[in-house]
Amino acid sequence: MKDRMDLEKFKALSFWKKVQWVLQYYGLAMVVTALAAFVIAVFLKSVFGPGEQYALRVMILDDRQSPELCQAYSEQLGALLGGECDVTSYAESGMYEMQAFVVRLTSDELDLVIAPEEQMEQLMENGYLTDMTELADDSLYWVTAHGGEPAARPYYIGRTILSANPDNVPAAIEYFTAAES
């Protein structure tokens, strides 16, 4: 057979010639295997490894929220709490955003959730929240997100049972519920 290596000739090669032959013959397979191992390791670390450390994580379900407002909340809360904060929002009316909200709600370590009354009551019934507080029409959240318009329906802020930053939650609730000055 032509594909078989002559073991006697291979033994007679110098060390560097043997290395060169192995790299030439198996090089592509070694590179592909190394890349696959790297991709698997990165995937496993991102899924099962420790996530980013935040001083606070807040998730909002509100059609009127914008990425700019969430960024402003993140910066202000970060200055208040002395660390980086993660505030993200999802649109209640968007089917895919509602699905993303539910997935993130069940998979992330969130500290606070802001959502309409119906969703918050479901979260309380399911044991996901420890408590919830109504956001008044003059609260910082309502004024910035809704331009001070009276609430068509109540929105609440709730503390999650799996909060990773329980010491920062009271200050964040006070931030969102405080009357806009």
Side-chain angles (χ1 to χ4, degrees), residues 115-131:
E117 183 176 27
E118 306 85 45
Q119 283 79 12
M120 295 298 278
E121 286 177 352
Q122 287 176 356
L123 293 173
M124 283 292 290
E125 289 171 11
N126 292 332
Y128 187 76
L129 298 176
T130 61
D131 58 65

Side-chain angles (χ1 to χ4, degrees), residues 53-71:
Q53 297 298 317
Y54 290 101
L56 189 79
R57 296 186 87 172
V58 181
M59 194 166 67
I60 302 170
L61 181 63
D62 190 342
D63 286 330
R64 295 189 185 186
Q65 278 300 330
S66 69
E68 294 79 21
L69 274 175
C70 289
Q71 182 63 33

